[in-house]
Amino acid sequence: MTTSAIAVSGLRKAYKDKVVLDGIDFDVPAGTVFSLLGPNGAGKTTTVNVLTTLMRADGGTVRVAGHDLATEAGAVRAAIGVTGQFAAVDELLTGRENLQLMVDLNRRSIRNGGRVVPELLERFELAESADKPASTYSGGMRRKLDLAMTLVGDPQIIFLDEPTTGLDPRSRRTMWSIIRDLLADGVTVFLTTQYLEEADQLADRVAVLDQGRLVAQGTPAELKRMIPGTHIRLRFTTADELDEAARVLTDAVRDDEALTLRVPGDGGTKSLRTLLDRLDEYSLSAEECSVHTPDLDDVFLALTGRTTEVDAK
């Protein structure tokens, strides 16, 4: 039986007459990555703030690391680590000094402080820059230092609130690698992100939050299967060619502006070959042919009616 790292039932939160969380339920198995997605104002950051004891819920029950959030907040705080949207490092201190400060503030790590700091510097590839002021670090280095500081207390559960926002692609992939390493160590990761590719790459389970309610949750593959839309996209050179093809492919959806047809398919080679043979039978050819399968962007748009170009807090 899988142990729950986070169990949420009927969680509610409102600000005056505005309901932000309207009775949401989810469960995060220990040792997994759980990603919470949602458009701007959906309630993601409120959820994180409640789960990390920064804010009181108005209703519902929450257990984090086996502890009741309402009555054992201290035990919850001892079991978790939190990395916010912006690196919380002291720029006047060096990387080593930032880590040592966290060791000094954490009673559980104080015995092993002499070993923890160099180990974390090495693990996060910060050893060469350890004695330079954090103000000289790149954005990616600051995010790595911030996460290293979160790990000083050896937390069971880590909350990562948009950890790669603003990072270049290389730094983002480095963070992905670090998150996978944490998972391999048995740490549970609660991730919010504005990059759906990130959730697709990392998350064991994904929940989509919209207007305070969970509109879907499951594995990335399960969510993609919810959305019909695997199709073959054909683009033609002229409107006349598009008209002729549309008369032949009666089940296709046309886009006159883009000169394209979307033909339903399963993404396999057999259906693609059948389609091309049919076009050839009528002496038709497309300038471009591509196979499109639903991704988390499609799921998100279908469920919320919005894109994620400016994603949630």
Side-chain angles (χ1 to χ4, degrees), residues 18 40 129 131 136 194 233 239 253 272:
K18 179 177 174 55
N40 194 29
S129 305
D131 297 310
T136 66
Q194 61 179 302
R233 182 179 181 272
V253 176
L272 176 60

Side-chain angles (χ1 to χ4, degrees), residues 54-244:
L54 297 175
M55 184 181 293
R56 284 185 175 274
D58 295 331
T61 59
V62 179
R63 296 191 71 83
V64 178
H67 304 290
D68 185 276
L69 193 70
T71 60
E72 302 174 275
V76 170
R77 286 192 286 270
I80 66 173
V82 183
T83 298
Q85 294 180 30
F86 305 100
V89 303
D90 189 323
E91 296 191 351
L92 297 178
L93 301 179
T94 66
R96 190 186 307 278
E97 288 168 343
N98 269 285
L99 284 169
Q100 187 59 53
L101 176 62
M102 295 304 296
V103 169
D104 294 342
L105 292 173
N106 193 302
R107 287 177 296 177
R108 288 179 301 152
S109 64
I110 218 158
R111 283 185 205 166
N112 302 315
R115 191 174 73 241
V116 168
V117 171
E119 284 180 354
L120 287 172
L121 288 170
E122 192 67 37
R123 178 176 182 178
F124 285 85
E125 300 178 351
L126 294 170
E128 291 185 8
S129 305
D131 297 310
K132 295 179 181 178
S135 59
T136 66
Y137 286 13
S138 67
M141 291 171 67
R142 291 186 195 190
R143 295 301 287 171
K144 287 197 291 185
L145 177 59
D146 192 28
L147 184 50
M149 291 164 63
T150 300
L151 294 181
V152 163
D154 197 23
Q156 302 172 41
I157 303 167
I158 294 179
F159 291 85
L160 301 178
D161 194 5
E162 300 188 13
T164 63
T165 297
L167 297 187
D168 60 80
R170 182 178 178 182
S171 296
R172 187 175 302 139
R173 291 186 179 275
T174 298
M175 288 296 292
W176 290 1
S177 178
I178 291 170
I179 292 170
R180 291 189 181 104
D181 288 343
L182 293 174
L183 189 64
D185 290 342
V187 175
T188 303
V189 177
F190 188 103
L191 171 73
T192 72
T193 178
Q194 61 179 302
Y195 302 111
L196 294 185
E197 180 193 8
E198 189 160 88
D200 207 354
Q201 287 281 335
L202 298 173
D204 297 290
R205 290 186 64 80
V206 174
V208 182
L209 186 64
D210 188 35
Q211 297 181 349
R213 296 186 177 185
L214 286 180
V215 294
Q217 57 181 311
T219 67
E222 287 170 346
L223 293 187
K224 291 174 195 175
R225 286 197 294 270
M226 292 173 57
I227 308 300
T230 299
H231 64 273
I232 300 164
R233 182 179 181 272
L234 302 170
R235 186 165 72 83
F236 298 89
T237 306
T238 67
D240 288 340
E241 290 179 343
L242 177 65
D243 288 339
E244 289 182 39

Side-chain angles (χ1 to χ4, degrees), residues 19-22 24 36-44 47 207-216 300-307 311-312:
V19 176
V20 180
L21 298 176
D22 192 9
I24 65 173
L36 186 63
L37 305 177
N40 194 29
K44 294 200 328 285
T47 302
V208 182
L209 186 64
D210 188 35
Q211 297 181 349
R213 296 186 177 185
L214 286 180
V215 294
F300 192 91
L301 180 60
L303 292 174
T304 70
R306 281 161 280 185
T307 65
D311 186 34

